[in-house]
């Protein structure tokens, strides 16, 4: 058992996670603006420059930024380990990440090979800083928390996604062939299912029982889900390489691919159903939008799996072929803006309000210890009021409601979907910004 | 065999259950029940804190030689929760539903992140580092406090 480095310190400085949390909705708004600007042209195929810029603005700029901030924050709680020199790490990570994401988005839109090369360097640097800082803290972890194994695998998946992304970006520079579509499919799989999916599942083991006071997830699921997904993604990756290198064994690759995708699907179905079951029997029954986000997330995850298998069936029957592309798009849409977005939004609201309360409370305690008169610290529901949480949820329902028809009928709905998502992200930026300005006012006054 | 982790984590779940019952009672504006449940919750929490502060943390500090580290953070968090308990009681006395549920929202996360650290680290490490004899001595002291 490792004792050196054991720390249960409450939190890194407020600026460490908040710079990531506040930048996230800005990238969300940027994605929405791109959708409004390009309209149905963006959704025409998965390879359009606008589509690539929008998906990367969401997945890197929004999701991964939040995950970077949250992981730096949660390590002492989950692992009993802190990141050494948190401010320096946060600055290095933030600067390289933000400039890297912006450069990549520009590279997609203006197709300049120099920009692709620059984004490879910047994003590579950021992910290495993150993996080094968080990875060493995870390795030092003293905790027995079940989430840790999944988190380590998720960070590994992020590294693989990055390497694949770098190879693809290098292809965009024209210095090698662009490995489409199989390289892109692997990149997508490791990024969405590996990094984002495994991280959400691993965090869920802790936060679902914690926020709604439910029973724990069954042990077999907690122990095996993330390692199995990781192993199956490895198998699926070898299948892709096999297809490429040994094209004569088609039947073998198809069988292995069905096996890997089938089991990953079953594991996600088990996760979604189990989460819904636990929440149904939760002890905490008071009104809370948090639970609705989780219900939407689990429903979307199930629909995403259904669309994925729908596409597999259509592909094998070769009928009705026109459904193939929409089913693929819907599967990814349900996963990204249904499952992941709902969970992230729900978590972000709780984390931000709690962190501000925690830091304000600490300031107040220090004041009192210094013999000064303290003041009343606002609670979470004052920091972000119920009214704004409700409006945020309604804007999410609207945005989700419009993006689904937009995928199927882009000409009619694409720009409308862009507007709905802009409202959603703007509302989020406003709420988070308001919470942070409350913190600043309080801090200045004290 | 009962371990410190089993017993103390079980006590967390027990406190969580009364916490949820108190919140539900306030949500349904059943103030009589809310008073009972809140009283039971605060009593259970104080007993739990007292077990940790007087028995478990000193044993952990002795076994690890870490007097100023993790247990100090845990003690500080107990104080933070105690200040929220006082606010809960105040909201209850004023039958202010919004204020009560606002305090409990904050308390819930404070309490859960605290529990996570204790269950994942302090309890688990105590079981490993103390050895079977000291573990059973700590457990019997815990039972004495709980029975008192």
């Amino acid at each position: 058992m490792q004792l050196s480095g054991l720390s249960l310190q409450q939190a890194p400085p407020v600026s460490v996670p908040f710079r990531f949390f506040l930048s996230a909705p800005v990238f969300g708004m940027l994605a929405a603006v791109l959708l409004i600007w390009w309209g149905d042209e963006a959704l025409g195929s998965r390879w359009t420059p606008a589509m690539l810029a929008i998906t990367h603005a969401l997945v890197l700029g929004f999701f991964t930024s939040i995950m970077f901030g949250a992981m730096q924050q949660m390590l002492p709680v989950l692992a009993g380990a802190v990141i050494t020199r948190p401010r320096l790490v946060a600055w290095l990570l933030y600067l390289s990440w933000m400039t890297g994401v912006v450069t990549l988005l520009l590279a997609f839109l203006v197709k300049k090979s120099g920009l692709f090369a620059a984004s490879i360097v910047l994003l590579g640097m950021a992910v290495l800083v993150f993996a080094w800082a968080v990875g060493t803290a995870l390795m030092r972890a003293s905790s027995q928390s079940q989430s840790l194994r999944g988190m380590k695998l998720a960070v590994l998946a992020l590294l693989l996604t990055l390497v694949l992304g770098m190879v693809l970006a290098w292809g965009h520079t024209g210095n090698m062939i662009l490995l489409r579509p199989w390289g892109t499919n692997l990149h997508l799989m490791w990024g969405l299912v590996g990094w984002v999916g495994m991280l959400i599942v691993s965090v869920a083991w802790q936060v679902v029982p914690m926020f709604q006071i439910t029973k724990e997830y069954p042990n077999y699921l907690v122990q095996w889900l993330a390692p199995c997904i990781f192993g199956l993604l490895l198998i699926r990756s070898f299948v892709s390489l096999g297809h490429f290198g040994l094209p004569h064994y088609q039947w073998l690759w198809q069988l292995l691919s069905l096996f890997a995708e089938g089991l990953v699907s079953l594991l996600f179905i088990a996760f979604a159903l189990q989460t819904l079951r636990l929440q149904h029997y939760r002890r905490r029954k008071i009104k809370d939008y948090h639970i609705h986000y989780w219900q939407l997330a689990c429903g979307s995850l199930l629909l995403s799996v259904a669309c994925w298998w729908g596409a597999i069936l259509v592909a094998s029957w070769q009928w009705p072929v026109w459904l193939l592309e929409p089913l693929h798009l819907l599967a990814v849409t349900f996963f990204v803006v249904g499952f992941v977005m709902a969970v992230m939004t729900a978590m972000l609201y709780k984390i931000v309000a709690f962190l501000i309360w925690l830091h304000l409370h600490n300031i107040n305690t220090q004041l009192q210890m210094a013999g000064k008169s303290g003041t009343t610290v606002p609670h979470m529901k004052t920091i972000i009021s119920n009214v704004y949480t409700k409006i945020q949820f309604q804007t999410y329902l609207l945005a989700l409601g419009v993006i689904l028809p937009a995928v199927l009928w882009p000409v009619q709905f694409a720009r409308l979907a862009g507007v709905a998502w802009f409202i959603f992200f703007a509302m989020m930026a406003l709420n988070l910004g308001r919470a942070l300005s409350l913190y600043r006012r309080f801090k200045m006054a004290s | 065999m009962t371990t410190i982790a089993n017993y103390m984590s079980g006590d967390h779940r027990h406190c969580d259950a009364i916490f949820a019952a108190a919140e539900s009672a306030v949500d349904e504006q059943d103030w009589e029940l809310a008073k009972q449940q809140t009283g039971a919750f605060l009593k259970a929490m104080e007993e739990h804190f007292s077990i940790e502060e007087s028995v478990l943390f000193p044993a952990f500090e002795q076994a690890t030689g870490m007097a100023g580290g993790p247990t100090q953070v845990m003690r500080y968090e107990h104080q933070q929760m105690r200040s929220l308990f006082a606010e809960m009681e105040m909201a209850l006395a004023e039958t202010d539903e919004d204020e009560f549920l606002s305090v409990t929202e904050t308390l819930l996360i404070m309490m859960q992140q605290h529990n996570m650290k204790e269950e994942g680290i302090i309890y688990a490490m105590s079981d490993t580092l103390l050895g079977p004899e000291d573990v059973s001595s700590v457990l019997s002291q815990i039972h004495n406090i709980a029975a008192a």
Side-chain angles (χ1 to χ4, degrees), chain A residues 1-3 6 8-10 76-80 142-145 206 209-213 216 283-288 350 354 357-358 361-362 365 376-377 379-382, chain B residues 13 16-17 19-20 23-24 27 60 64 66 70 73-74 76-77 80 83-84 87 97 99 101-106 108-110 112-113 116-117 120-122 124-125 128-129:
Chain A
M1 182 161 299
Q2 236 177 327
L3 283 176
L6 172 63
L8 300 184
Q9 248 177 46
Q10 278 203 304
V77 178
L78 282 171
S142 327
S143 172
Q144 315 282 314
S145 163
Q206 300 281 353
M210 166 173 152
F211 287 151
Q212 281 118 29
I213 315 190
E216 304 284 328
R283 282 186 185 274
R284 193 171 197 239
K285 295 279 189 188
I286 61 161
K287 295 177 273 294
D288 190 354
K350 292 261 184 203
F354 176 70
W357 174 83
L358 187 68
H361 194 277
N362 287 343
T365 310
T376 313
V377 177
H379 291 295
M380 284 170 66
K381 285 186 179 170
T382 314
Chain B
R13 300 293 91 77
D16 287 349
F19 171 87
E23 264 194 327
S24 295
D27 192 44
F60 178 90
T64 57
M66 297 173 88
V73 179
M74 294 298 100
Y76 177 64
E77 291 187 355
Q80 285 181 311
S83 76
L84 288 168
E87 291 179 53
E97 182 189 344
E99 176 66 12
L101 293 178
S102 185
V103 178
T104 51
E105 175 81 3
T106 311
L108 175 70
I109 302 192
M110 180 71 225
Q112 298 296 349
Q113 64 92 33
M116 212 192 276
K117 292 191 271 198
I121 297 154
I122 305 273
M125 279 173 79
T128 318
L129 292 171

Side-chain angles (χ1 to χ4, degrees), chain B residues 37-106:
Chain B
Q37 298 291 4
T38 306
F41 168 67
L42 297 183
K43 186 169 170 286
M45 287 299 283
E46 273 307 334
E47 188 184 290
H48 185 86
F49 287 175
S50 137
I51 285 172
E52 289 177 341
E53 289 167 4
S54 63
V55 180
L56 186 59
F57 292 170
F60 178 90
E61 286 157 5
Q62 205 174 11
T64 57
M66 297 173 88
T71 47
Q72 200 180 7
V73 179
M74 294 298 100
R75 283 194 168 94
Y76 177 64
E77 291 187 355
H78 286 177
Q79 285 315 111
Q80 285 181 311
M81 284 186 263
R82 284 184 174 115
S83 76
L84 288 168
F85 295 163
E87 291 179 53
M88 251 174 112
E89 283 182 306
M90 213 143 57
L92 193 65
E94 289 165 7
T95 56
D96 186 339
E97 182 189 344
D98 288 346
E99 176 66 12
F100 186 94
L101 293 178
S102 185
V103 178
T104 51
E105 175 81 3
T106 311

Side-chain angles (χ1 to χ4, degrees), chain A residues 66-116:
Chain A
I66 292 175
M67 285 165 154
F68 280 174
M71 278 188 86
Q72 292 175 79
Q73 177 66 45
M74 283 175 81
L75 276 175
V77 178
L78 282 171
V82 284
I83 291 172
T84 39
R85 312 191 70 175
R87 277 201 176 90
L88 178 70
V89 169
W91 265 119
L92 276 177
L93 177 59
Y94 184 77
L95 285 179
S96 50
W97 182 249
M98 293 298 154
T99 47
V101 176
V102 171
T103 314
L104 182 68
L105 300 185
L106 281 174
F108 282 130
L109 293 172
V110 300
K111 296 181 200 147
K112 286 267 189 275
S113 58
L115 288 172
F116 278 110

Side-chain angles (χ1 to χ4, degrees), chain A residues 213-233:
Chain A
I213 315 190
T214 71
K215 288 193 170 160
E216 304 284 328
Y217 281 89
N219 212 21
Y220 67 89
L221 210 56
V222 175
Q223 289 221 313
W224 290 106
L225 196 138
C228 282
I229 289 183
F230 194 87
L232 291 164
L233 293 187

Side-chain angles (χ1 to χ4, degrees), chain A residues 43-309:
Chain A
L43 302 180
S45 100
R46 53 186 285 207
W47 310 115
T48 63
M51 178 67 126
L52 290 168
I54 289 170
T55 49
H56 285 83
L58 279 183
V59 177
L60 302 185
F62 187 80
F63 296 149
T64 304
S65 296
I66 292 175
M67 285 165 154
F68 280 174
M71 278 188 86
Q72 292 175 79
Q73 177 66 45
M74 283 175 81
L75 276 175
V77 178
L78 282 171
V82 284
I83 291 172
T84 39
R85 312 191 70 175
R87 277 201 176 90
L88 178 70
V89 169
W91 265 119
L92 276 177
L93 177 59
Y94 184 77
L95 285 179
S96 50
W97 182 249
M98 293 298 154
T99 47
V101 176
V102 171
T103 314
L104 182 68
L105 300 185
L106 281 174
F108 282 130
L109 293 172
V110 300
K111 296 181 200 147
K112 286 267 189 275
S113 58
L115 288 172
F116 278 110
S119 72
I120 291 177
V121 176
L122 290 165
L123 293 175
M125 205 170 98
V127 173
L128 287 181
V129 168
F130 175 76
W132 172 77
V134 167
T136 49
L138 282 172
M139 293 304 161
R140 281 203 312 268
S142 327
S143 172
Q144 315 282 314
S145 163
Q146 295 286 8
S147 294
L148 291 176
R149 194 199 288 183
M151 282 189 171
K152 288 176 194 165
L153 292 174
V155 173
L156 215 55
L158 174 66
L159 283 170
L160 284 169
T161 311
L162 171 82
V163 172
L164 287 162
M166 282 173 152
V167 172
L168 289 167
W170 196 241
H172 278 286
T173 64
N175 289 308
M176 65 175 279
I177 54 158
L178 190 52
L179 303 174
R180 267 184 189 172
W182 69 271
T184 322
N185 288 344
L186 282 185
H187 171 67
L188 197 73
M189 178 183 88
W190 280 104
L192 287 184
V193 182
W195 160 239
V196 185
M198 279 201 302
L199 194 58
I200 287 186
V201 164
S202 307
V203 172
W205 305 144
Q206 300 281 353
V207 300
V208 168
M210 166 173 152
F211 287 151
Q212 281 118 29
I213 315 190
T214 71
K215 288 193 170 160
E216 304 284 328
Y217 281 89
N219 212 21
Y220 67 89
L221 210 56
V222 175
Q223 289 221 313
W224 290 106
L225 196 138
C228 282
I229 289 183
F230 194 87
L232 291 164
L233 293 187
L234 277 180
I235 293 178
R236 187 64 188 79
S237 307
F238 285 123
V239 169
S240 289
L241 295 176
H243 261 304
F244 192 67
L246 294 167
H248 299 304
Y249 295 94
Q250 283 302 328
W251 61 270
L252 176 68
W253 305 129
Q254 270 175 6
L255 205 67
L256 271 175
S257 157
L258 279 179
F259 167 76
E261 287 178 22
L263 271 185
V264 168
S265 304
L266 283 178
L267 288 169
F268 274 113
I269 291 172
F271 169 76
L273 292 179
Q274 191 61 45
T275 305
L276 289 171
R277 198 183 75 88
L278 287 178
Q279 292 182 335
H280 182 72
Y281 294 108
R282 71 193 183 276
R283 282 186 185 274
R284 193 171 197 239
K285 295 279 189 188
I286 61 161
K287 295 177 273 294
D288 190 354
Y289 286 98
H290 188 84
I291 192 99
H292 299 314
Y293 278 113
W294 272 98
Q295 286 161 342
L296 272 176
C298 291
S300 300
L301 183 56
L302 293 172
L303 286 170
S304 168
V305 173
C307 290
W308 186 257
W309 282 92

